[in-house]
Every structure is written in C-alpha cells, then in structure tokens.
Amino acid sequence: MREQDPQMSTIEAAKPRTEVGPLLKLVLELGPLMVFFFANSRGEWLASRFPVLGELGGPIFIATGLFMAATAAALIASWIMTRTLPMMPLISGIVVFVFGALTLWLQNDTFIKMKPTIVNTLFGAILLGGLLFGKSLLGYVFHAAFKLDEDGWRKLTIRWGLFFLFLAVLNEIVWRSFTTDFWVAFKVWGTMPITILFTLLQMPLIMRHSLERESAE
C-alpha cells in the first residue's frame, strides 16, 4: 500500500472551508422564519392533518415547535456544507431552542416573542462593547465577504450595533402593542425587508473603505 505523503496531508488540512453562496445562505436564514409564519397561519389545518402537532397547543405553539425544528435543520445543513457554524446563526439558534422550549413547556408565547429582543440586544451589546476594548468584532464575522480598513470596520460595527438595538426596541413595541398574528407577520414581512434595506444602505461606506479599491487605485 502506498504511504500518504505528509506534505499532501498538510495541504489538504490547510484547504479553506467551503463558503455558502449568498442565495443559499438567505434560504438557510429565511427558511425557518417562513416555516414559523406558515405554521402560525395554518396551525389549525396542520393540527387536523397531524394530530401530534395539536398536542403542542394552539397555532403559535405549533409554529414554535416547527420553528425550532427548522432552525436545527438549517444549522445542520450549514455544518454539512461548510463544516463550520456561523457565530450569529448559532447564537440565535441557541436562544430559539431555550426560549422555544420555555414557550412550549409553560404554554406561554411571551418567551418566543421576547427571543428577537434578547438576540438583537445581545448582538448590539457585543458589537458596541467590543469597540470599548478597541475590537471591531464585525470584522471577524464578515472578513470573508469584505476587506475593509480599520476605520471602515469601526464605523460599520457602530452602525450594526445600533441597528441591532433598534430591532430589539422595535420587536418590543410590536409584540406588546399588536396581535400575535401581526407580530409573526411582521417578523417575516417587516423585519427582514428592513434588515435588507439597512444592509444595502451600508454599501457606500463599504466601498469607501474597501482595501481592494485602495489597492486598485
């Protein structure tokens, strides 16, 4: 049997992990939300077709259970394709499991409604807190997508940190002021478009501070 070349083994180990395409990444992130929206709007129909789901409770509890399952499936799919788990989806997934379990166990939808508040506040606090120690932590998340100078990462981190806190406040206003159905719909058709719009508005800043642009010039 031919012995494996140690140098080749080193090269194989050093190969970069596979990156997920933007469209597939959007599907993995948006998929669980769509499941949550569908299950809440068709909860009674799902319970009549699958009696085991009816044991979870009303539509919001069926939606919570399926949301947890879809989130787990998305994380597993991400791991299979890239052999790594992105930090932000992982943290969000952990909160989904914890607060989803509390929602089902106590039959109280307040916990799942507070999940976006907790996650966004946590992300905002981490990003802004990191700047106090001179760390632009957003660079560790998006380093594969963008190459920015130090000032660019600092400005982008501030913007995203404040945006996450804005989303946390917005979620509190919506779930405390409107019906559960409106809150679920807003998570999909309100929060996601707002996030996409905010992301697009950051492109001028990214272009100004891009290291690739500076190199080209």
Side-chain angles (χ1 to χ4, degrees):
M1 182 180 295
R2 183 180 177 182
E3 294 184 0
Q4 187 175 9
D5 188 346
Q7 184 176 2
M8 290 300 297
S9 299
T10 303
I11 295 175
E12 290 293 329
K15 286 184 177 180
R17 296 185 176 93
T18 303
E19 293 292 335
V20 176
L23 182 59
L24 182 55
K25 184 177 181 180
L26 180 63
V27 171
L28 291 175
E29 294 181 358
L30 189 58
L33 279 179
M34 296 302 296
V35 169
F36 187 61
F37 174 77
F38 174 79
N40 182 74
S41 62
R42 301 299 299 276
E44 295 181 359
W45 178 83
L46 288 171
S48 66
R49 296 296 189 279
F50 307 96
V52 66
L53 293 178
E55 297 180 3
L56 295 176
I60 186 63
F61 300 107
I62 294 175
T64 297
L66 293 180
F67 184 42
M68 294 169 65
T71 299
L75 289 174
I76 292 172
S78 179
W79 171 258
I80 292 175
M81 289 184 288
T82 68
R83 291 301 172 183
T84 186
L85 290 175
M87 184 59 64
M88 294 175 71
L90 177 60
I91 294 175
S92 181
I94 292 173
V95 178
V96 166
F97 300 142
V98 172
F99 280 73
L102 289 172
T103 296
L104 297 178
W105 182 36
L106 300 175
Q107 287 291 288
N108 188 338
D109 60 9
T110 298
F111 293 101
I112 197 64
K113 289 178 178 178
M114 290 183 63
K115 173 261 173 184
T117 302
I118 300 298
V119 170
N120 288 317
T121 300
L122 183 62
F123 286 158
I126 290 175
L127 291 179
L128 296 177
L131 290 177
L132 297 178
F133 296 94
K135 300 291 185 180
S136 298
L137 299 178
L138 200 66
Y140 294 99
V141 179
F142 292 123
H143 69 279
F146 307 113
K147 305 296 183 183
L148 306 182
D149 58 34
E150 184 177 349
D151 189 46
W153 281 125
R154 184 183 61 81
K155 292 178 180 178
L156 199 60
T157 298
I158 291 174
R159 292 186 181 187
W160 272 102
L162 294 176
F163 179 68
F164 279 127
L165 296 181
F166 163 76
L167 289 181
V169 173
L170 184 61
N171 182 70
E172 284 295 294
I173 293 174
V174 173
W175 84 261
R176 292 179 184 275
S177 304
F178 299 93
T179 65
T180 295
D181 288 344
F182 182 89
W183 171 77
V184 173
F186 186 80
K187 276 178 61 65
V188 179
W189 311 116
T191 302
M192 187 57 65
I194 289 173
T195 302
I196 293 175
L197 177 61
F198 174 81
T199 302
L200 293 176
L201 291 175
Q202 307 316 304
M203 293 310 297
L205 183 147
I206 292 172
M207 295 300 296
R208 286 197 304 271
H209 293 275
S210 174
L211 293 178
E212 295 177 357
R213 179 187 176 186
E214 292 179 0
S215 299
E217 292 177 350

